[in-house]
Amino acid sequence: MAKSNFRPLHDRVVVRRVESESKTSGGIIIPDTAKEKPQEGDIIAVGSGARDEAGKLVPLDVKAGDRILFGKWSGTEVKLNGEDLLIMKESDIMGIIG
């Protein structure tokens, strides 16, 4: 994993999408124009956590290196160091694959 100069704030995470397969299990090749964006990715950076009502810092349940599933429209697409990444809140993450 490449080290980034970007550190998300609060309960946000930076995610690199996992590339989807270009061929179905039956051998049919899917053209790029018909592919859906994958809803799976690897976390490459996490924020320090959110604060609760009492002002206490609550750390995130995910960490850099975790493989996650997220919603189809989750996150904001950004380009950092020439790489397309997503920045999203921890609440947009459905779960950890592991």
Side-chain angles (χ1 to χ4, degrees), residues 55-74:
K56 182 180 169 200
L57 188 66
V58 179
L60 302 182
D61 290 330
V62 294
K63 63 187 178 311
D66 285 348
R67 177 150 298 185
I68 59 163
L69 286 178
F70 50 87
K72 188 177 238 179
W73 309 111
S74 297

Side-chain angles (χ1 to χ4, degrees), residues 2-92:
K3 186 72 175 160
S4 173
N5 296 343
F6 182 81
R7 184 177 59 89
L9 297 176
H10 309 296
D11 63 341
R12 289 181 175 80
V13 299
V14 179
V15 177
R16 177 185 298 121
R17 286 185 195 269
V18 174
E19 291 302 316
S20 60
E21 292 293 322
S22 60
K23 193 186 291 188
T24 67
S25 58
I28 298 171
I29 296 174
I30 304 168
D32 288 341
T33 55
K35 282 185 194 174
E36 287 195 19
K37 290 186 178 178
Q39 297 172 45
E40 185 177 326
D42 293 320
I43 296 180
I44 59 172
V46 297
S48 57
R51 298 213 178 258
D52 62 12
E53 293 82 27
K56 182 180 169 200
L57 188 66
V58 179
L60 302 182
D61 290 330
V62 294
K63 63 187 178 311
D66 285 348
R67 177 150 298 185
I68 59 163
L69 286 178
F70 50 87
K72 188 177 238 179
W73 309 111
S74 297
T76 301
E77 294 182 356
V78 296
K79 187 172 258 227
L80 293 173
N81 299 328
E83 185 176 15
D84 291 325
L85 301 171
L86 284 171
I87 298 175
M88 67 180 69
K89 288 186 164 259
E90 183 186 35
S91 58
D92 291 336

